[in-house]
Amino acid sequence: MTRVLVLGGSWFLGRAVVDAALAAGAEVTTFRRGQSGEDAPGVSTIRGDRTDADDLRRLAEAGTWDAVVDTSGFVPRETLAVARALEPVVARYVFVSTVSVYQGWPTEPLTDDSPVLETPADAGSDFGFDGDPGPSVYGFTKAGCERAVAEVFGSSRAVSLRPGVILGPREYVGRLPWWLNRVARGGQVLAPGRPDRSIQPVDVRDVAAFAMQAAVTDLAGSFNLTAAGGETMEDFLHACRRAVGSNAEFEWITDEDWLVAQGVAQWTELPLWRIYSGAWDVSSARARAAGFSARPISETAQDTWQWLNSSEAAVAHERAGEQGIAADKEDRVLAAWRSREPM
């Protein structure tokens, strides 16, 4: 039986990885502090903090594993310590990274071989800088985490997964939940940008499935994980409307410079809306060649709405408060759009 260690395991992607591992018949251990979320049924849980050397030593003494899937690494020097502690007792290290590690994100089209931000494996949490648009401290530090894992485990035993925006059941950031709840409220909904703009959000369960594939096969290196790009922002909003069964009508504000000038924040006030050309132009050709596939956005929207209306409590997270435009501001922007002078 395959033995898998998951760093994290109670929130969103971590929980989806646990579910995928259990469904595959693996024996699963999670390592987490236990300060938020619930332990998944059917797993062994070791309490501990990845920043504590004694906890890491205790974890390494708990057994051997065929693979570790790290969903909670953000600081290079901390990930370096985790990798060093686990290297003697883990065969493969699957690290969940992000497309933000690329130098060109979100302004340029990206492939699996695009240049990555340069960050030392022992960098701290504040390494790098935030550009607008351009690199971010988040991207720099994730790139350093990738380097840390690769330095310790080598090129044949390390895998870095680079998803774009992840949506789906148990999402705590709140992007898809905000849109679903807004569309459920009905009325005139501000729809940003061109209806035919291709978007590439990926379902959390598809990322988890590929993480498990990487854990139990001989995959190595880095893999972008994004949807193919055949679906559009209009497809997304219509999927939300079907999922919630509302009578909402979408009013498309296609002049994006005008929308920005109204003080509407990209990515947060209108989740998934970003004007930079590379934001939704990330190839996942390498992962697809290895068997990765992404389900349609309609399925993600439907299942997320069912989860939102289930008895399972969402995990409270500060980032959820950043999502969504206030109703009065949305009304003001729509009124201004309707009354603007013809171009």
Side-chain angles (χ1 to χ4, degrees), residues 142-173:
K142 277 290 198 177
C145 291
E146 288 189 14
R147 174 170 286 186
V149 171
E151 285 187 2
V152 175
F153 275 77
S155 60
S156 64
R157 298 169 60 204
V159 180
S160 289
L161 307 182
R162 297 170 179 167
V165 172
I166 306 176
L167 304 177
R170 300 194 183 97
E171 184 202 334
Y172 58 82
V173 175

Side-chain angles (χ1 to χ4, degrees), residues 252-320:
W252 292 92
I253 296 183
T254 54
D255 187 339
E256 295 179 308
D257 291 337
W258 182 91
L259 190 53
V260 170
Q262 306 312 301
V264 178
Q266 300 176 54
W267 215 236
T268 52
E269 283 194 297
L270 294 172
L272 307 190
W273 172 58
R274 204 160 194 181
I275 63 175
Y276 308 121
S277 60
W280 297 117
D281 195 352
V282 181
S283 169
S284 55
R286 184 180 295 161
R288 291 181 183 283
F292 171 72
S293 63
R295 72 193 67 200
I297 194 65
S298 58
E299 184 176 336
T300 303
Q302 183 67 49
D303 292 348
T304 303
W305 183 244
Q306 290 180 357
W307 164 71
L308 284 171
N309 289 278
S310 72
S311 59
E312 183 179 357
V315 175
H317 195 277
E318 64 273 11
R319 289 184 65 186

